[in-house]
Amino acid sequence: MLTGRRHRGAALLAFVATMLLLAGGICTAAIHFLLTGRQLASQQLDREIAFRAAEAALHDAESDLLAAATAGGARLSAWPGRGTCGTGAQAGLCHAEGDRRHWQPWLDGAAVDGLGVPLGAFTGAQLPALPDDVIGATALPRYLVELRDGVDAAAGIWPRMTVTAVGFGRDPAVRVVLQTEFQP
C-alpha cells in the first residue's frame, strides 16, 4: 500500500510540473505577440510621420519654386552644370544627366546633411503640429529639384522639373521618399 501512494505523488508532481511549463510557454507566447503588435503599430506611426513630413517638403519645394519664378532674383537666375547640384542661392537645384539620380543616397540610407534643402530654408515653412501625445520627427524633411528639360528663358517657358522630397520618422532610419513633376 505504501508504494502505491508514492507513485500517485510522483504522477501528481509530473502533472503539476508539466502544467507549469505549459502555462509558462503560453505566457511567453502571449507577451511575444503583444510586443510584436506594439512594434508593428509603432512602425506604422513612424511611417505616417515620415510620409507627412515628405509631403510638407514637396509643398515647400513648390512654394519655393513659384515664389522664385514670380519674384525673379538669384534663386532661378542660373542653373548648375549638367550632373551637378547648386550651392548658395541655388541650393537644392540639380541638373539631371542621364539616369543619374541625385536623391539616390536617401534611398540607400546615407547621411542627408548637405543633400537637398531642409524644409523652410527659403520659405520659412514649418512642419504641421502633431497631437500632444505624439512625438514627431527628429530631423527636418529635405527636398531637391532636378531640371529635366533645358531652360529657354527667351521663350518665357519654364522647364519641367522633378521635385523629390524625403521625410523622416521618429527613428531617422524610417524614411519616405516622394516625387512629383512640376512646371511653374
Side-chain angles (χ1 to χ4, degrees):
M1 271 288 188
L2 205 49
T3 59
R5 288 187 173 178
R6 285 186 187 166
H7 287 300
R8 270 191 277 171
L12 180 63
L13 182 61
F15 177 73
V16 169
T18 303
M19 293 307 286
L20 284 174
L21 284 174
L22 185 62
I26 290 172
C27 288
T28 302
I31 289 173
H32 175 72
F33 285 127
L34 288 172
L35 291 177
T36 301
R38 182 176 179 267
Q39 185 179 17
L40 288 174
S42 176
Q43 286 174 347
Q44 179 61 30
L45 180 61
D46 259 1
R47 189 196 170 287
E48 185 68 25
I49 290 171
F51 181 84
R52 300 285 178 182
E55 215 172 27
L58 278 181
H59 290 298
D60 186 45
E62 290 175 359
S63 297
D64 173 25
L65 291 171
L66 287 173
T70 56
R75 180 89 171 117
L76 297 178
S77 63
W79 284 89
R82 285 200 170 275
T84 62
C85 290
T87 58
Q90 283 84 28
L93 301 179
C94 302
H95 201 139
E97 181 176 36
D99 288 339
R100 183 170 188 276
R101 299 180 294 196
H102 296 281
W103 45 267
Q104 184 64 41
W106 290 341
L107 291 179
D108 296 338
V112 297
D113 294 337
L115 180 62
V117 177
L119 177 83
F122 291 104
T123 62
Q126 295 180 344
L127 283 173
L130 293 171
D132 292 335
D133 57 343
V134 177
I135 298 171
T138 56
L140 281 176
R142 303 178 79 82
Y143 67 87
L144 59 82
V145 179
E146 290 178 306
L147 181 66
R148 302 314 284 171
D149 301 329
V151 179
D152 189 4
I157 299 172
W158 285 96
R160 188 171 52 99
M161 302 170 218
T162 301
V163 180
T164 308
V166 62
F168 305 94
R170 295 174 296 186
D171 176 8
V174 176
R175 297 176 181 198
V176 171
V177 177
L178 298 178
Q179 193 172 61
T180 187
E181 294 287 323
F182 184 77
Q183 187 171 12

